[in-house]
Amino acid sequence: AGVLDDGMVGSLNAERLGRVLAPKVNGAWNLHCATRERELDFFVLYSSLAGLLGNVGQSNYAAANTFMDGLAHLRWSQGLPALSVLWGPWSEGGMAAELSEGDRARMARQGIELLSDERAMALLERALLADNPTSVAVALDLNAYQRNLDAEARAVPPLFRELMRDDETKRDESQSFR
């Protein structure tokens, strides 16, 4: 249900928003309605890191994914099984497989690495075992992320402050977190 129609907010209209929102929002809501009275072991939604971190030109896509995260929280609050996985980019499939080398290099400078299928499945298993309605599955190189912030003279966003308290607590290499 991943549809892209990238553009700056001012260029988006109802049709462009609907084209991106409808597959995720309608699909997830219909599955919720069709299963809320059933005994399920799992109800898993595939969301995107774009909903958490944003991505230039993808506000409609971020909104569609954030809806799914919200739906997982709604189901969770109702005692229903729910997990929304906010996926980072995969190397062997999905939308990231079609990225240009320039886009991949930009993401690497920002500390976002591509997940192999094997690593992604391990993170999914971990998320299914956790007791949370949402889980972030991303390969994040915190050192590269910090270097990118430093180069742009930006402060560490609140989301990452706990992960990047100081040099002694910074994680080495790529880390996946939830």
Side-chain angles (χ1 to χ4, degrees), residues 106-138:
R106 177 185 47 79
M107 287 181 5
R109 282 190 306 275
Q110 294 171 341
I112 298 173
E113 300 174 357
L114 301 178
L115 289 167
S116 67
D117 289 351
E118 182 179 316
R119 186 159 186 203
M121 290 299 98
L123 291 172
L124 176 60
E125 181 178 355
R126 190 169 148 193
L128 288 168
L129 296 173
D131 192 28
N132 291 299
T134 57
S135 183
V136 177
V138 64

Side-chain angles (χ1 to χ4, degrees), residues 51-132:
L52 180 65
L53 299 181
N55 204 9
V56 174
Q58 291 190 330
S59 59
N60 50 5
Y61 183 69
N65 286 286
T66 301
F67 172 85
M68 295 194 344
D69 305 336
L71 178 58
H73 280 275
L74 172 70
R75 287 181 59 89
W76 189 265
S77 73
Q78 296 172 345
L80 299 171
L83 172 62
S84 184
V85 181
L86 290 76
W87 289 107
W90 290 36
S91 61
E92 297 148 18
M95 294 176 177
E98 298 179 21
L99 290 174
S100 70
E101 285 304 314
D103 288 334
R104 288 175 185 233
R106 177 185 47 79
M107 287 181 5
R109 282 190 306 275
Q110 294 171 341
I112 298 173
E113 300 174 357
L114 301 178
L115 289 167
S116 67
D117 289 351
E118 182 179 316
R119 186 159 186 203
M121 290 299 98
L123 291 172
L124 176 60
E125 181 178 355
R126 190 169 148 193
L128 288 168
L129 296 173
D131 192 28
N132 291 299

